[in-house]
Amino acid sequence: MKYIFTFLFLTISYLQIMAQKKLPVVKANSSKAIFLEEDTGLKTDWNIDPSIKPDVYTVTKISKGTRTVKIKTDIDSIRITVKQGEKKDFIIILKDKDSCLTRIESQIPKNFSNLNPPFHDSIRLGINGQNTIFVKTLLNKTDSLVLNFDTGSNNLSLTRETLKDKIKEQLKGRVNVLSIGNKKYDGFRIYQVELSGHGTDGRFGWDLFDGMVVELNYDQGMMVVHSRLPDYVKKDKTYQPLDIIYLDKMFLIETTIKQGSKTNKDWFLFDTGYQRTVMLDGPLLRERNFPTDQMKIIKKVIMKGGQGNEIPVVTANLESLSLGRYNLKNIPAQLLHESRPLHDQKMNILGNEILKRFNVFMDFQNNVVYIKPNKLFNDGYIEKE
């Protein structure tokens, strides 16, 4: 029996060594590398560490197809492509002596659609004059908080004031649980921020609901978390479906803007936490020959970022913005003269002064947003009032 176990052990060890030898290999003399997701443009500075086995890089959520990552060291490069839920290993040989087992991984997609019985958790949704949408929540069964549902963020962020004055128990070293409606959510990180939506204690992101469907119904003043998309949504032809793509922890939908004879179609960040209409990246649009110089200036202001930083912004008239077949005209858009990249990506942002005009289903199972004009669709814009 002893010899049998010894033989099995040696056989398994041999197979592991042989399997590792067949893994793709890339060489490096420096411990610094760059991981670039070629289809999203997301770039990550990577530290090559032979003590971590495997050292795992998790790609942005894949909505369709595959994700390709280019790994570039100081002297070599390699491309690794993964599908949803797939992981692939490769070896980085550091300074011709250290073997660094590295993994490119796509997380298994979350999907609650097969739950039986299904759930439809309704929560009262508020919206104030500053376009901040909010719900009442409970953190760790003790702290009542009013939080902004901010689809342009992730995890849970609380203001410095909230952490100082409203949180009764230590948050570190424990599993924190956020109760929203009848459901409880955990597995998130908590961050400190200087600012949040007007009148709120902080904000939570869309990723709490990954694998679920979130409905925002402004006509009824309700937010509903569904385990699957209600059947009537696809049957109701007034709902416009819009595909979702992901960039790191953010999601975007395709948007068309028009000025004069020039049209630009691109992916815009879907950001209910941004209180204005749309933030346009001036340099990005000029690269694409969009005539921002033809947009009539309405006013100039200094805005505050999420960390209290100052951002000079010009408000100018955008002739037209379309989401699928739904069109809005003469929008007071915020026009940046300098890019404010997110994850090294220049991008335009859809804010809640636009998004609140639609009842919305965000399907994080099939990666589609459904929109339908609501009672706010024809309201005037705050910037013009």
Side-chain angles (χ1 to χ4, degrees), residues 65 118 121 168 200 221 242 247 251 273 278 282 292 318 328 376:
D121 189 28
K168 301 181 183 66
T200 64
L242 300 166
L247 175 63
F251 76 92
V278 57
T292 56
L318 176 64
L328 295 163
L376 304 174

Side-chain angles (χ1 to χ4, degrees), residues 27-183:
K27 295 183 177 182
N29 286 331
S30 168
S31 61
K32 303 299 181 184
I34 292 174
F35 283 35
L36 174 66
E37 294 185 9
E38 293 188 329
D39 40 355
T40 68
L42 180 66
K43 184 171 70 173
T44 302
D45 293 326
W46 188 261
N47 184 56
I48 302 170
D49 188 347
S51 68
I52 305 173
K53 294 183 182 296
D55 203 355
V56 179
Y57 175 85
T58 303
V59 301
T60 294
K61 181 178 178 180
I62 301 173
S63 53
K64 291 181 180 179
T66 60
R67 182 84 68 225
T68 297
V69 181
K70 181 179 180 181
I71 298 93
K72 190 176 187 306
T73 71
D74 58 327
I75 58 172
D76 204 354
S77 66
I78 193 173
R79 284 179 171 84
I80 304 291
T81 299
V82 292
K83 300 180 291 188
Q84 281 186 344
E86 187 179 25
K87 56 188 176 185
K88 288 185 178 179
D89 292 345
F90 65 101
I91 302 292
I92 301 177
I93 303 297
L94 181 60
K95 298 179 180 179
D96 287 329
K97 61 178 182 178
D98 290 322
S99 175
C100 308
L101 179 61
T102 311
R103 176 171 295 164
I104 304 296
E105 178 178 85
S106 169
Q107 292 184 341
I108 297 173
K110 296 179 181 179
N111 194 322
F112 296 85
S113 62
N114 292 323
L115 285 182
N116 192 18
F119 62 77
H120 306 277
D121 189 28
S122 297
I123 307 116
R124 177 59 60 184
L125 178 71
I127 182 168
N128 60 30
Q130 288 74 32
N131 292 322
T132 300
I133 57 173
F134 57 89
V135 295
K136 293 182 178 179
T137 69
L138 190 65
L139 182 61
N140 297 329
K141 299 182 180 180
T142 58
D143 302 313
S144 297
L145 301 174
V146 175
L147 298 178
N148 172 213
F149 177 37
D150 179 358
T151 58
S153 68
N154 57 84
N155 289 290
L156 173 63
S157 298
L158 301 177
T159 65
R160 183 189 299 273
E161 182 181 0
T162 298
L163 289 167
K164 178 183 176 183
D165 299 333
K166 292 192 175 185
I167 303 300
K168 301 181 183 66
E169 297 186 10
Q170 284 287 334
L171 300 179
K172 292 183 178 180
R174 63 175 296 171
V175 176
N176 294 290
V177 178
L178 186 66
S179 299
I180 307 174
N182 295 316
K183 292 189 64 60

Side-chain angles (χ1 to χ4, degrees), residues 305-323:
Q307 296 298 328
N309 52 310
E310 293 188 347
I311 306 168
V313 177
V314 169
T315 301
N317 189 75
L318 176 64
E319 183 180 295
S320 172
L321 182 147
S322 299
L323 297 171

Side-chain angles (χ1 to χ4, degrees), residues 200-307:
T200 64
D201 300 309
R203 58 182 181 263
F204 60 94
W206 70 269
D207 55 326
L208 265 66
F209 310 110
D210 195 11
M212 307 178 201
V213 177
V214 181
E215 174 187 0
L216 300 179
N217 189 317
Y218 293 95
D219 289 328
Q220 298 178 8
M222 299 297 294
M223 171 180 173
V224 188
V225 181
H226 304 271
S227 58
R228 61 172 177 253
L229 186 71
D231 292 337
Y232 67 82
V233 177
K234 287 187 177 181
K235 294 178 181 178
D236 186 344
K237 298 305 180 183
T238 59
Y239 276 104
Q240 170 71 59
L242 300 166
D243 287 339
I244 288 174
I245 64 168
Y246 296 91
L247 175 63
D248 195 26
K249 296 293 186 180
M250 304 178 295
F251 76 92
L252 301 86
I253 62 172
E254 205 163 39
T255 304
T256 301
I257 56 175
K258 185 174 184 294
Q259 193 75 23
S261 60
K262 188 68 176 179
T263 298
N264 181 80
K265 191 173 187 179
D266 205 348
W267 296 96
F268 282 47
L269 177 65
F270 190 104
D271 190 359
T272 59
Y274 178 53
Q275 298 170 333
R276 305 294 183 177
T277 54
V278 57
M279 181 178 285
L280 300 178
D281 186 306
L284 174 63
L285 290 174
R286 287 194 290 275
E287 288 173 10
R288 298 175 182 180
N289 298 315
F290 191 81
T292 56
D293 57 336
Q294 295 179 19
M295 296 171 62
K296 182 180 178 181
I297 294 176
I298 298 172
K299 66 177 182 180
K300 299 179 180 181
V301 297
I302 300 294
M303 293 181 60
K304 291 283 188 179
Q307 296 298 328

